């Protein structure tokens, strides 16, 4: 019998590489262990993503920077912020980011996909995930990924992103059209990091994804056969323990350092 293809998203692969124990708690343990509270930077990112998705769903005559800013307010939440005052400051910043971004972006063309789920076999895996935006430019598809993090992004970030590469692979096969260009759009700075993949560079990303998928699937299968979860899914201790959703369930993570405040990773 041929081996069953392993279904993986960029988030699954990244979680496994970041910490196998967190992978187990996120994707295998049922019921899922209780998570920690909301983080303000995650709330901020979700609001911006939701506002931009809603914006491109609007008729062309309503796509103005002012409308984009208003959509930030419509989708705003205070989850994870220190207080209402801090939340208001970042709500206004997000409004400014989105308005500036839309003023500098050609919004007259409808994207091919918004929050589009793509899924396709690729070697020994099924590569899948939800793409923020898929554009059609000069007959080729382009992956657009919005970012709201603390750090500006570079060409190396776009080139090395396994998530973007997997999206390009899955989009090509799902929509049956060439997709090689990937872009990171950093809203706080307005910078766009771009990379044009080749067949060879995508193949390298796919190979790494297949190797990671084989590791996590072997651990999962061995666990189901009665293996020791602490041996198969050991904690990977590091800075990330300070903001891990499952910190309360991980003594090693707690010992690694103090927790990060829910608003501690907001962009300056």
């Amino acid at each position: 019998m041929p081996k069953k293809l392993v279904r993986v998203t960029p988030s699954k692969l990244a979680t496994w590489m970041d910490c196998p124990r967190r992978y187990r708690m996120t994707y295998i343990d049922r019921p899922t262990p209780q998570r920690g509270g909301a983080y303000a930077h995650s709330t901020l990112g979700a609001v911006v993503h939701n506002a931009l998705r809603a914006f491109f769903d609007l008729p062309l005559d309503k796509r103005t920077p002012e409308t984009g800013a208003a959509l930030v307010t419509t989708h705003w939440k205070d989850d994870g912020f220190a207080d209402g005052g801090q939340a208001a400051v970042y709500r206004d910043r997000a409004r400014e980011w989105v308005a500036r971004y839309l003023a500098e972006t050609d919004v007259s063309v409808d994207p091919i996909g918004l929050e589009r789920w793509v899924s396709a076999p690729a070697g020994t895996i099924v590569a899948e995930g939800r793409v923020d935006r898929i554009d059609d430019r000069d007959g080729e598809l382009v992956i657009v990924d919005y970012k709201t993090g603390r750090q500006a992004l570079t060409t190396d970030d776009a080139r090395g992103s396994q998530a973007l590469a997997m999206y390009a692979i899955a989009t090509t096969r799902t929509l049956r059209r060439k997709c090689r260009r990937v872009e990171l759009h950093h809203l706080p700075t307005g910078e766009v990091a771009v990379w044009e993949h080749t067949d060879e560079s995508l193949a390298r990303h796919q190979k790494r994804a297949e190797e990671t998928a084989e590791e996590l699937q072997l651990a999962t299968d061995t666990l189901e056969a009665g293996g020791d979860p602490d041996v198969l899914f050991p904690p990977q201790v590091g800075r990330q323990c300070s903001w891990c959703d499952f910190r309360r369930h991980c003594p090693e993570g707690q010992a690694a350092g103090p927790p990060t405040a829910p608003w501690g990773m907001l962009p300056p």
Side-chain angles (χ1 to χ4, degrees):
M1 291 290 292
K3 290 182 66 175
K4 184 178 180 180
L5 300 184
V6 182
R7 308 186 75 91
V8 290
T9 63
S11 179
K12 275 190 174 184
L13 295 175
T15 301
W16 170 263
M17 291 185 289
D18 190 47
C19 178
R21 175 175 288 176
R22 184 158 69 91
Y23 178 91
R24 192 199 81 215
M25 292 183 179
T26 303
Y27 296 107
I28 298 177
D29 289 353
R30 295 295 179 269
T32 303
Q34 185 177 5
R35 296 172 181 265
Y39 283 93
H41 71 282
S42 297
T43 299
L44 178 64
V47 167
V48 168
H49 279 71
N50 289 336
L52 288 171
R53 176 183 180 177
F55 177 87
F56 282 103
D57 272 337
L58 293 172
L60 180 58
D61 61 345
K62 295 185 182 299
R63 294 181 193 170
T64 66
E66 294 75 19
T67 300
L71 285 168
V72 170
T73 301
T74 299
H75 290 275
W76 187 258
K77 295 182 179 179
D78 289 353
D79 298 349
F81 289 91
D83 52 38
Q86 186 189 58
V89 167
Y90 277 90
R91 181 191 62 218
D92 291 343
R93 286 188 189 177
R95 285 172 54 91
E96 293 171 5
W97 298 343
V98 169
R100 180 187 61 201
Y101 173 74
L102 295 174
E104 298 172 354
T105 300
D106 181 3
V107 300
S108 64
V109 180
D110 289 330
I112 294 295
L114 294 169
E115 299 290 337
R116 172 66 188 265
W117 182 264
V118 291
S119 177
T124 61
I125 63 174
V126 177
E128 54 190 17
R130 194 175 303 280
V131 186
D132 290 346
R133 197 174 91 210
I134 305 172
D135 288 351
D136 183 348
R137 302 186 201 158
D138 301 322
E140 292 192 7
L141 302 183
V142 178
I143 300 296
V144 174
D145 196 43
Y146 304 126
K147 296 296 183 184
T148 57
R150 297 171 61 89
Q151 302 296 326
L153 301 167
T154 68
T155 299
D156 284 344
D157 292 312
R159 176 183 59 83
S161 171
Q162 186 175 68
L164 292 182
M166 287 184 64
Y167 292 150
I169 292 168
T171 296
T172 294
R173 300 183 184 187
T174 299
L175 302 182
R176 295 182 173 83
R177 293 181 58 188
K178 184 177 180 181
C179 181
R180 294 292 182 268
R181 183 182 175 98
V182 297
E183 298 180 353
L184 295 168
H185 292 204
H186 190 243
L187 274 292
T189 61
E191 297 293 326
V192 176
V194 179
W195 184 252
E196 193 82 26
H197 275 293
T198 63
D199 289 342
E200 291 74 21
S201 66
L202 289 176
R204 288 193 294 271
H205 276 287
Q206 179 179 319
K207 185 175 186 298
R208 285 195 290 271
E210 290 180 274
E211 290 170 350
T212 304
E214 184 176 7
E215 291 177 8
L216 66 86
Q217 190 60 48
L218 177 60
T220 301
D221 292 343
T222 306
L223 178 67
E224 292 177 353
D228 186 334
D230 291 329
V231 173
L232 296 168
F233 299 87
Q236 181 88 7
V237 177
R239 292 177 57 251
Q240 71 276 8
C241 296
S242 294
W243 58 84
C244 178
D245 285 340
F246 300 107
R247 177 183 170 85
R248 69 179 64 184
H249 306 289
C250 181
E252 293 89 344
Q254 294 174 34
T260 297
W263 54 89
M265 290 182 288
L266 285 166

